[in-house]
mmCIF file of all heavy atoms in Angstrom:
data_model
loop_
_atom_site.group_PDB
_atom_site.id
_atom_site.type_symbol
_atom_site.label_atom_id
_atom_site.label_comp_id
_atom_site.label_asym_id
_atom_site.label_seq_id
_atom_site.Cartn_x
_atom_site.Cartn_y
_atom_site.Cartn_z
ATOM 1 N N GLY A 18 -138.969 -4.651 -9.626
ATOM 2 C CA GLY A 18 -140.312 -4.092 -9.719
ATOM 3 C C GLY A 18 -140.532 -3.067 -8.621
ATOM 4 O O GLY A 18 -139.650 -2.816 -7.802
ATOM 5 N N PRO A 19 -141.718 -2.478 -8.587
ATOM 6 C CA PRO A 19 -141.982 -1.423 -7.604
ATOM 7 C C PRO A 19 -142.059 -1.979 -6.185
ATOM 8 O O PRO A 19 -142.461 -3.123 -5.970
ATOM 9 C CB PRO A 19 -143.329 -0.850 -8.045
ATOM 10 C CG PRO A 19 -143.982 -1.954 -8.795
ATOM 11 C CD PRO A 19 -142.875 -2.731 -9.446
ATOM 12 N N VAL A 20 -141.639 -1.144 -5.240
ATOM 13 C CA VAL A 20 -141.783 -1.446 -3.815
ATOM 14 C C VAL A 20 -142.645 -0.335 -3.232
ATOM 15 O O VAL A 20 -142.370 0.849 -3.436
ATOM 16 C CB VAL A 20 -140.416 -1.506 -3.101
ATOM 17 C CG1 VAL A 20 -140.604 -1.634 -1.589
ATOM 18 C CG2 VAL A 20 -139.578 -2.652 -3.648
ATOM 19 N N PHE A 21 -143.701 -0.721 -2.526
ATOM 20 C CA PHE A 21 -144.627 0.227 -1.923
ATOM 21 C C PHE A 21 -144.351 0.271 -0.422
ATOM 22 O O PHE A 21 -144.341 -0.754 0.241
ATOM 23 C CB PHE A 21 -146.073 -0.193 -2.185
ATOM 24 C CG PHE A 21 -146.383 -0.304 -3.651
ATOM 25 C CD1 PHE A 21 -146.207 -1.505 -4.329
ATOM 26 C CD2 PHE A 21 -146.824 0.804 -4.359
ATOM 27 C CE1 PHE A 21 -146.475 -1.615 -5.689
ATOM 28 C CE2 PHE A 21 -147.089 0.710 -5.720
ATOM 29 C CZ PHE A 21 -146.913 -0.500 -6.382
ATOM 30 N N MET A 22 -144.116 1.471 0.076
ATOM 31 C CA MET A 22 -143.808 1.641 1.490
ATOM 32 C C MET A 22 -144.797 2.619 2.097
ATOM 33 O O MET A 22 -145.052 3.678 1.532
ATOM 34 C CB MET A 22 -142.382 2.165 1.661
ATOM 35 C CG MET A 22 -141.334 1.242 1.061
ATOM 36 S SD MET A 22 -139.688 1.940 1.106
ATOM 37 C CE MET A 22 -139.264 1.628 2.796
ATOM 38 N N SER A 23 -145.316 2.244 3.242
ATOM 39 C CA SER A 23 -146.237 3.108 3.956
ATOM 40 C C SER A 23 -145.709 3.315 5.370
ATOM 41 O O SER A 23 -145.353 2.355 6.054
ATOM 42 C CB SER A 23 -147.630 2.467 3.997
ATOM 43 O OG SER A 23 -148.546 3.342 4.587
ATOM 44 N N VAL A 24 -145.633 4.572 5.789
ATOM 45 C CA VAL A 24 -145.165 4.933 7.119
ATOM 46 C C VAL A 24 -146.305 5.685 7.784
ATOM 47 O O VAL A 24 -146.826 6.647 7.219
ATOM 48 C CB VAL A 24 -143.902 5.818 7.039
ATOM 49 C CG1 VAL A 24 -143.412 6.177 8.427
ATOM 50 C CG2 VAL A 24 -142.810 5.126 6.232
ATOM 51 N N SER A 25 -146.705 5.243 8.962
ATOM 52 C CA SER A 25 -147.869 5.837 9.601
ATOM 53 C C SER A 25 -147.701 5.907 11.108
ATOM 54 O O SER A 25 -146.950 5.126 11.697
ATOM 55 C CB SER A 25 -149.106 4.982 9.267
ATOM 56 O OG SER A 25 -150.229 5.444 9.970
ATOM 57 N N ARG A 26 -148.406 6.827 11.714
ATOM 58 C CA ARG A 26 -148.435 6.926 13.170
ATOM 59 C C ARG A 26 -149.503 6.014 13.770
ATOM 60 O O ARG A 26 -149.619 5.925 14.986
ATOM 61 C CB ARG A 26 -148.692 8.363 13.597
ATOM 62 C CG ARG A 26 -147.557 9.286 13.231
ATOM 63 C CD ARG A 26 -147.602 10.590 14.010
ATOM 64 N NE ARG A 26 -146.415 11.370 13.738
ATOM 65 C CZ ARG A 26 -145.271 11.231 14.385
ATOM 66 N NH1 ARG A 26 -145.163 10.333 15.329
ATOM 67 N NH2 ARG A 26 -144.234 11.972 14.083
ATOM 68 N N LYS A 27 -150.273 5.367 12.955
ATOM 69 C CA LYS A 27 -151.337 4.471 13.434
ATOM 70 C C LYS A 27 -151.057 3.051 12.971
ATOM 71 O O LYS A 27 -150.548 2.824 11.881
ATOM 72 C CB LYS A 27 -152.691 4.911 12.891
ATOM 73 C CG LYS A 27 -153.069 6.313 13.304
ATOM 74 C CD LYS A 27 -154.306 6.302 14.087
ATOM 75 C CE LYS A 27 -154.706 7.733 14.380
ATOM 76 N NZ LYS A 27 -155.116 7.947 15.691
ATOM 77 N N LEU A 28 -151.446 2.100 13.786
ATOM 78 C CA LEU A 28 -151.342 0.694 13.427
ATOM 79 C C LEU A 28 -152.392 0.404 12.354
ATOM 80 O O LEU A 28 -153.551 0.795 12.501
ATOM 81 C CB LEU A 28 -151.603 -0.152 14.675
ATOM 82 C CG LEU A 28 -151.259 -1.614 14.646
ATOM 83 C CD1 LEU A 28 -149.780 -1.830 14.369
ATOM 84 C CD2 LEU A 28 -151.638 -2.262 15.971
ATOM 85 N N PRO A 29 -152.004 -0.231 11.244
ATOM 86 C CA PRO A 29 -153.002 -0.532 10.207
ATOM 87 C C PRO A 29 -154.116 -1.418 10.771
ATOM 88 O O PRO A 29 -153.850 -2.306 11.593
ATOM 89 C CB PRO A 29 -152.206 -1.290 9.136
ATOM 90 C CG PRO A 29 -150.777 -0.929 9.374
ATOM 91 C CD PRO A 29 -150.663 -0.681 10.853
ATOM 92 N N PRO A 30 -155.356 -1.182 10.371
ATOM 93 C CA PRO A 30 -156.476 -1.985 10.876
ATOM 94 C C PRO A 30 -156.223 -3.476 10.653
ATOM 95 O O PRO A 30 -155.818 -3.899 9.586
ATOM 96 C CB PRO A 30 -157.677 -1.507 10.046
ATOM 97 C CG PRO A 30 -157.290 -0.153 9.542
ATOM 98 C CD PRO A 30 -155.785 -0.183 9.391
ATOM 99 N N GLY A 31 -156.460 -4.250 11.703
ATOM 100 C CA GLY A 31 -156.327 -5.699 11.613
ATOM 101 C C GLY A 31 -154.905 -6.217 11.763
ATOM 102 O O GLY A 31 -154.679 -7.421 11.695
ATOM 103 N N TRP A 32 -153.946 -5.333 11.955
ATOM 104 C CA TRP A 32 -152.546 -5.760 12.104
ATOM 105 C C TRP A 32 -152.162 -5.722 13.582
ATOM 106 O O TRP A 32 -152.362 -4.717 14.256
ATOM 107 C CB TRP A 32 -151.620 -4.807 11.364
ATOM 108 C CG TRP A 32 -151.621 -4.957 9.881
ATOM 109 C CD1 TRP A 32 -152.671 -4.743 9.042
ATOM 110 C CD2 TRP A 32 -150.525 -5.328 9.072
ATOM 111 N NE1 TRP A 32 -152.294 -4.952 7.757
ATOM 112 C CE2 TRP A 32 -150.967 -5.317 7.742
ATOM 113 C CE3 TRP A 32 -149.206 -5.658 9.332
ATOM 114 C CZ2 TRP A 32 -150.135 -5.637 6.690
ATOM 115 C CZ3 TRP A 32 -148.378 -5.962 8.281
ATOM 116 C CH2 TRP A 32 -148.849 -5.962 6.973
ATOM 117 N N PRO A 33 -151.554 -6.788 14.094
ATOM 118 C CA PRO A 33 -151.057 -6.735 15.480
ATOM 119 C C PRO A 33 -149.723 -5.982 15.521
ATOM 120 O O PRO A 33 -148.958 -6.001 14.559
ATOM 121 C CB PRO A 33 -150.856 -8.216 15.835
ATOM 122 C CG PRO A 33 -150.579 -8.878 14.523
ATOM 123 C CD PRO A 33 -151.382 -8.101 13.488
ATOM 124 N N GLU A 34 -149.453 -5.329 16.631
ATOM 125 C CA GLU A 34 -148.205 -4.580 16.764
ATOM 126 C C GLU A 34 -146.985 -5.493 16.624
ATOM 127 O O GLU A 34 -145.952 -5.083 16.096
ATOM 128 C CB GLU A 34 -148.162 -3.863 18.111
ATOM 129 C CG GLU A 34 -146.976 -2.939 18.258
ATOM 130 C CD GLU A 34 -147.044 -2.072 19.501
ATOM 131 O OE1 GLU A 34 -148.148 -1.837 20.027
ATOM 132 O OE2 GLU A 34 -145.975 -1.630 19.940
ATOM 133 N N ASP A 35 -147.118 -6.745 17.049
ATOM 134 C CA ASP A 35 -145.960 -7.651 16.974
ATOM 135 C C ASP A 35 -145.662 -8.128 15.550
ATOM 136 O O ASP A 35 -144.706 -8.859 15.322
ATOM 137 C CB ASP A 35 -146.089 -8.822 17.937
ATOM 138 C CG ASP A 35 -147.269 -9.727 17.659
ATOM 139 O OD1 ASP A 35 -148.000 -9.511 16.671
ATOM 140 O OD2 ASP A 35 -147.465 -10.682 18.445
ATOM 141 N N ALA A 36 -146.446 -7.672 14.573
ATOM 142 C CA ALA A 36 -146.139 -7.971 13.166
ATOM 143 C C ALA A 36 -145.026 -7.058 12.648
ATOM 144 O O ALA A 36 -144.516 -7.269 11.563
ATOM 145 C CB ALA A 36 -147.389 -7.802 12.302
ATOM 146 N N PHE A 37 -144.637 -6.060 13.446
ATOM 147 C CA PHE A 37 -143.636 -5.083 13.039
ATOM 148 C C PHE A 37 -142.332 -5.309 13.793
ATOM 149 O O PHE A 37 -142.343 -5.645 14.973
ATOM 150 C CB PHE A 37 -144.137 -3.652 13.301
ATOM 151 C CG PHE A 37 -145.314 -3.291 12.451
ATOM 152 C CD1 PHE A 37 -146.597 -3.657 12.825
ATOM 153 C CD2 PHE A 37 -145.143 -2.620 11.258
ATOM 154 C CE1 PHE A 37 -147.687 -3.351 12.026
ATOM 155 C CE2 PHE A 37 -146.225 -2.305 10.455
ATOM 156 C CZ PHE A 37 -147.496 -2.677 10.838
ATOM 157 N N THR A 38 -141.234 -5.096 13.111
ATOM 158 C CA THR A 38 -139.914 -5.204 13.725
ATOM 159 C C THR A 38 -139.515 -3.841 14.267
ATOM 160 O O THR A 38 -139.458 -2.866 13.508
ATOM 161 C CB THR A 38 -138.865 -5.657 12.679
ATOM 162 O OG1 THR A 38 -139.274 -6.909 12.139
ATOM 163 C CG2 THR A 38 -137.486 -5.774 13.289
ATOM 164 N N ARG A 39 -139.274 -3.774 15.575
ATOM 165 C CA ARG A 39 -138.850 -2.510 16.181
ATOM 166 C C ARG A 39 -137.405 -2.252 15.753
ATOM 167 O O ARG A 39 -136.531 -3.073 15.999
ATOM 168 C CB ARG A 39 -138.941 -2.576 17.704
ATOM 169 C CG ARG A 39 -138.639 -1.254 18.381
ATOM 170 C CD ARG A 39 -138.880 -1.312 19.876
ATOM 171 N NE ARG A 39 -140.205 -1.780 20.219
ATOM 172 C CZ ARG A 39 -141.302 -1.011 20.285
ATOM 173 N NH1 ARG A 39 -141.198 0.267 20.026
ATOM 174 N NH2 ARG A 39 -142.458 -1.533 20.606
ATOM 175 N N ILE A 40 -137.175 -1.118 15.095
ATOM 176 C CA ILE A 40 -135.831 -0.805 14.624
ATOM 177 C C ILE A 40 -135.211 0.352 15.395
ATOM 178 O O ILE A 40 -134.051 0.671 15.201
ATOM 179 C CB ILE A 40 -135.798 -0.505 13.104
ATOM 180 C CG1 ILE A 40 -136.621 0.729 12.757
ATOM 181 C CG2 ILE A 40 -136.235 -1.720 12.315
ATOM 182 C CD1 ILE A 40 -136.412 1.232 11.342
ATOM 183 N N TRP A 41 -135.972 0.986 16.263
ATOM 184 C CA TRP A 41 -135.433 2.103 17.032
ATOM 185 C C TRP A 41 -136.185 2.198 18.337
ATOM 186 O O TRP A 41 -137.415 2.179 18.353
ATOM 187 C CB TRP A 41 -135.606 3.405 16.259
ATOM 188 C CG TRP A 41 -134.991 4.587 16.937
ATOM 189 C CD1 TRP A 41 -135.615 5.478 17.773
ATOM 190 C CD2 TRP A 41 -133.635 5.023 16.843
ATOM 191 N NE1 TRP A 41 -134.737 6.428 18.187
ATOM 192 C CE2 TRP A 41 -133.509 6.178 17.630
ATOM 193 C CE3 TRP A 41 -132.521 4.547 16.162
ATOM 194 C CZ2 TRP A 41 -132.309 6.868 17.773
ATOM 195 C CZ3 TRP A 41 -131.332 5.230 16.296
ATOM 196 C CH2 TRP A 41 -131.240 6.377 17.093
ATOM 197 N N SER A 42 -135.480 2.303 19.409
ATOM 198 C CA SER A 42 -136.090 2.558 20.711
ATOM 199 C C SER A 42 -135.636 3.914 21.176
ATOM 200 O O SER A 42 -134.434 4.183 21.217
ATOM 201 C CB SER A 42 -135.661 1.502 21.731
ATOM 202 O OG SER A 42 -136.203 0.263 21.402
ATOM 203 N N MET A 43 -136.589 4.753 21.505
ATOM 204 C CA MET A 43 -136.262 6.089 21.990
ATOM 205 C C MET A 43 -135.764 5.963 23.426
ATOM 206 O O MET A 43 -136.382 5.271 24.231
ATOM 207 C CB MET A 43 -137.503 6.990 21.948
ATOM 208 C CG MET A 43 -137.224 8.408 22.390
ATOM 209 S SD MET A 43 -138.670 9.474 22.318
ATOM 210 C CE MET A 43 -138.802 9.707 20.565
ATOM 211 N N PRO A 44 -134.641 6.599 23.752
ATOM 212 C CA PRO A 44 -134.174 6.584 25.143
ATOM 213 C C PRO A 44 -135.269 7.104 26.066
ATOM 214 O O PRO A 44 -136.007 8.018 25.714
ATOM 215 C CB PRO A 44 -132.965 7.523 25.130
ATOM 216 C CG PRO A 44 -132.510 7.532 23.705
ATOM 217 C CD PRO A 44 -133.753 7.355 22.880
ATOM 218 N N ALA A 45 -135.394 6.517 27.240
ATOM 219 C CA ALA A 45 -136.495 6.826 28.165
ATOM 220 C C ALA A 45 -136.608 8.315 28.465
ATOM 221 O O ALA A 45 -137.710 8.854 28.479
ATOM 222 C CB ALA A 45 -136.327 6.031 29.453
ATOM 223 N N HIS A 46 -135.475 9.008 28.688
ATOM 224 C CA HIS A 46 -135.565 10.431 29.035
ATOM 225 C C HIS A 46 -136.104 11.253 27.868
ATOM 226 O O HIS A 46 -136.796 12.233 28.077
ATOM 227 C CB HIS A 46 -134.226 10.976 29.535
ATOM 228 C CG HIS A 46 -133.186 11.132 28.473
ATOM 229 N ND1 HIS A 46 -132.459 10.064 27.976
ATOM 230 C CD2 HIS A 46 -132.748 12.224 27.797
ATOM 231 C CE1 HIS A 46 -131.630 10.497 27.053
ATOM 232 N NE2 HIS A 46 -131.781 11.799 26.923
ATOM 233 N N LEU A 47 -135.839 10.847 26.637
ATOM 234 C CA LEU A 47 -136.385 11.562 25.484
ATOM 235 C C LEU A 47 -137.860 11.256 25.310
ATOM 236 O O LEU A 47 -138.650 12.132 24.966
ATOM 237 C CB LEU A 47 -135.614 11.210 24.216
ATOM 238 C CG LEU A 47 -134.169 11.674 24.170
ATOM 239 C CD1 LEU A 47 -133.514 11.224 22.877
ATOM 240 C CD2 LEU A 47 -134.069 13.169 24.320
ATOM 241 N N ALA A 48 -138.251 10.022 25.544
ATOM 242 C CA ALA A 48 -139.666 9.654 25.439
ATOM 243 C C ALA A 48 -140.488 10.440 26.445
ATOM 244 O O ALA A 48 -141.569 10.932 26.140
ATOM 245 C CB ALA A 48 -139.841 8.152 25.653
ATOM 246 N N GLU A 49 -139.952 10.597 27.661
ATOM 247 C CA GLU A 49 -140.652 11.354 28.695
ATOM 248 C C GLU A 49 -140.781 12.814 28.292
ATOM 249 O O GLU A 49 -141.838 13.417 28.426
ATOM 250 C CB GLU A 49 -139.890 11.236 30.023
ATOM 251 C CG GLU A 49 -140.603 11.913 31.175
ATOM 252 C CD GLU A 49 -139.862 11.693 32.480
ATOM 253 O OE1 GLU A 49 -139.581 10.535 32.815
ATOM 254 O OE2 GLU A 49 -139.561 12.706 33.147
ATOM 255 N N ASP A 50 -139.704 13.410 27.749
ATOM 256 C CA ASP A 50 -139.744 14.800 27.300
ATOM 257 C C ASP A 50 -140.800 14.972 26.214
ATOM 258 O O ASP A 50 -141.571 15.920 26.236
ATOM 259 C CB ASP A 50 -138.387 15.240 26.743
ATOM 260 C CG ASP A 50 -137.301 15.287 27.807
ATOM 261 O OD1 ASP A 50 -137.634 15.193 29.004
ATOM 262 O OD2 ASP A 50 -136.130 15.395 27.417
ATOM 263 N N SER A 51 -140.839 14.054 25.242
ATOM 264 C CA SER A 51 -141.806 14.137 24.153
ATOM 265 C C SER A 51 -143.218 14.025 24.684
ATOM 266 O O SER A 51 -144.114 14.722 24.250
ATOM 267 C CB SER A 51 -141.553 13.029 23.129
ATOM 268 O OG SER A 51 -140.308 13.225 22.518
ATOM 269 N N SER A 52 -143.422 13.147 25.647
ATOM 270 C CA SER A 52 -144.745 12.959 26.233
ATOM 271 C C SER A 52 -145.203 14.238 26.926
ATOM 272 O O SER A 52 -146.344 14.663 26.788
ATOM 273 C CB SER A 52 -144.708 11.792 27.221
ATOM 274 O OG SER A 52 -145.935 11.677 27.875
ATOM 275 N N GLN A 53 -144.299 14.882 27.673
ATOM 276 C CA GLN A 53 -144.644 16.133 28.354
ATOM 277 C C GLN A 53 -144.990 17.216 27.346
ATOM 278 O O GLN A 53 -145.940 17.972 27.539
ATOM 279 C CB GLN A 53 -143.484 16.587 29.240
ATOM 280 C CG GLN A 53 -143.250 15.686 30.433
ATOM 281 C CD GLN A 53 -141.972 16.015 31.183
ATOM 282 O OE1 GLN A 53 -141.213 16.900 30.793
ATOM 283 N NE2 GLN A 53 -141.731 15.302 32.265
ATOM 284 N N GLU A 54 -144.223 17.286 26.263
ATOM 285 C CA GLU A 54 -144.495 18.299 25.239
ATOM 286 C C GLU A 54 -145.850 18.048 24.580
ATOM 287 O O GLU A 54 -146.634 18.972 24.384
ATOM 288 C CB GLU A 54 -143.393 18.318 24.188
ATOM 289 C CG GLU A 54 -143.575 19.413 23.170
ATOM 290 C CD GLU A 54 -142.424 19.510 22.191
ATOM 291 O OE1 GLU A 54 -141.409 18.840 22.369
ATOM 292 O OE2 GLU A 54 -142.574 20.293 21.232
ATOM 293 N N LEU A 55 -146.156 16.781 24.265
ATOM 294 C CA LEU A 55 -147.450 16.451 23.661
ATOM 295 C C LEU A 55 -148.592 16.794 24.604
ATOM 296 O O LEU A 55 -149.631 17.289 24.180
ATOM 297 C CB LEU A 55 -147.507 14.973 23.276
ATOM 298 C CG LEU A 55 -146.650 14.571 22.083
ATOM 299 C CD1 LEU A 55 -146.674 13.054 21.903
ATOM 300 C CD2 LEU A 55 -147.112 15.256 20.815
ATOM 301 N N ASP A 56 -148.412 16.553 25.913
ATOM 302 C CA ASP A 56 -149.440 16.906 26.886
ATOM 303 C C ASP A 56 -149.684 18.413 26.897
ATOM 304 O O ASP A 56 -150.828 18.867 26.944
ATOM 305 C CB ASP A 56 -149.045 16.439 28.298
ATOM 306 C CG ASP A 56 -149.093 14.936 28.464
ATOM 307 O OD1 ASP A 56 -149.714 14.251 27.604
ATOM 308 O OD2 ASP A 56 -148.519 14.427 29.447
ATOM 309 N N ARG A 57 -148.598 19.207 26.827
ATOM 310 C CA ARG A 57 -148.753 20.676 26.793
ATOM 311 C C ARG A 57 -149.495 21.114 25.545
ATOM 312 O O ARG A 57 -150.394 21.948 25.598
ATOM 313 C CB ARG A 57 -147.385 21.362 26.852
ATOM 314 C CG ARG A 57 -146.746 21.397 28.206
ATOM 315 C CD ARG A 57 -145.597 22.388 28.248
ATOM 316 N NE ARG A 57 -144.550 22.068 27.305
ATOM 317 C CZ ARG A 57 -143.507 21.298 27.557
ATOM 318 N NH1 ARG A 57 -143.384 20.759 28.750
ATOM 319 N NH2 ARG A 57 -142.594 21.067 26.644
ATOM 320 N N VAL A 58 -149.139 20.553 24.410
ATOM 321 C CA VAL A 58 -149.780 20.924 23.145
ATOM 322 C C VAL A 58 -151.253 20.538 23.186
ATOM 323 O O VAL A 58 -152.130 21.316 22.799
ATOM 324 C CB VAL A 58 -149.061 20.265 21.947
ATOM 325 C CG1 VAL A 58 -149.855 20.441 20.671
ATOM 326 C CG2 VAL A 58 -147.670 20.846 21.795
ATOM 327 N N ALA A 59 -151.558 19.326 23.675
ATOM 328 C CA ALA A 59 -152.951 18.877 23.754
ATOM 329 C C ALA A 59 -153.772 19.781 24.667
ATOM 330 O O ALA A 59 -154.952 20.009 24.428
ATOM 331 C CB ALA A 59 -153.018 17.424 24.245
ATOM 332 N N ALA A 60 -153.141 20.319 25.710
ATOM 333 C CA ALA A 60 -153.834 21.195 26.642
ATOM 334 C C ALA A 60 -153.884 22.632 26.123
ATOM 335 O O ALA A 60 -154.479 23.498 26.752
ATOM 336 C CB ALA A 60 -153.140 21.160 28.002
ATOM 337 N N GLY A 61 -153.238 22.884 24.985
ATOM 338 C CA GLY A 61 -153.236 24.226 24.422
ATOM 339 C C GLY A 61 -152.272 25.159 25.111
ATOM 340 O O GLY A 61 -152.381 26.365 25.001
ATOM 341 N N ARG A 62 -151.303 24.593 25.857
ATOM 342 C CA ARG A 62 -150.334 25.414 26.561
ATOM 343 C C ARG A 62 -148.984 25.305 25.880
ATOM 344 O O ARG A 62 -148.379 24.252 25.867
ATOM 345 C CB ARG A 62 -150.192 24.955 28.014
ATOM 346 C CG ARG A 62 -149.253 25.831 28.811
ATOM 347 C CD ARG A 62 -149.096 25.397 30.245
ATOM 348 N NE ARG A 62 -148.178 24.273 30.430
ATOM 349 C CZ ARG A 62 -146.857 24.350 30.361
ATOM 350 N NH1 ARG A 62 -146.274 25.485 30.056
ATOM 351 N NH2 ARG A 62 -146.106 23.286 30.578
ATOM 352 N N PRO A 63 -148.506 26.377 25.293
ATOM 353 C CA PRO A 63 -147.169 26.351 24.688
ATOM 354 C C PRO A 63 -146.100 26.261 25.772
ATOM 355 O O PRO A 63 -146.392 26.416 26.952
ATOM 356 C CB PRO A 63 -147.085 27.684 23.940
ATOM 357 C CG PRO A 63 -148.016 28.577 24.694
ATOM 358 C CD PRO A 63 -149.132 27.691 25.213
#
């Protein structure tokens, strides 16, 4: 039968984060780079 899959950047309302199985951990240096880039974008600085 059909399988419904939803992928989101937000936690579904009423769901605890520990209800999800972590299948990928971003290496710390990449997470830091992404965070810096997001901060620049949020500040409007390319």
Side-chain angles (χ1 to χ4, degrees):
V20 172
F21 302 90
M22 301 174 79
S23 185
V24 181
S25 174
R26 294 198 173 274
K27 300 241 185 224
L28 193 60
W32 285 64
E34 187 171 337
D35 63 3
F37 294 83
T38 302
R39 185 174 306 275
I40 63 169
W41 184 266
S42 292
M43 182 179 286
H46 72 282
L47 293 178
E49 184 176 307
D50 294 349
S51 295
S52 175
Q53 291 171 358
E54 184 175 352
L55 288 174
D56 289 344
R57 283 195 300 270
V58 170
R62 183 180 80 75

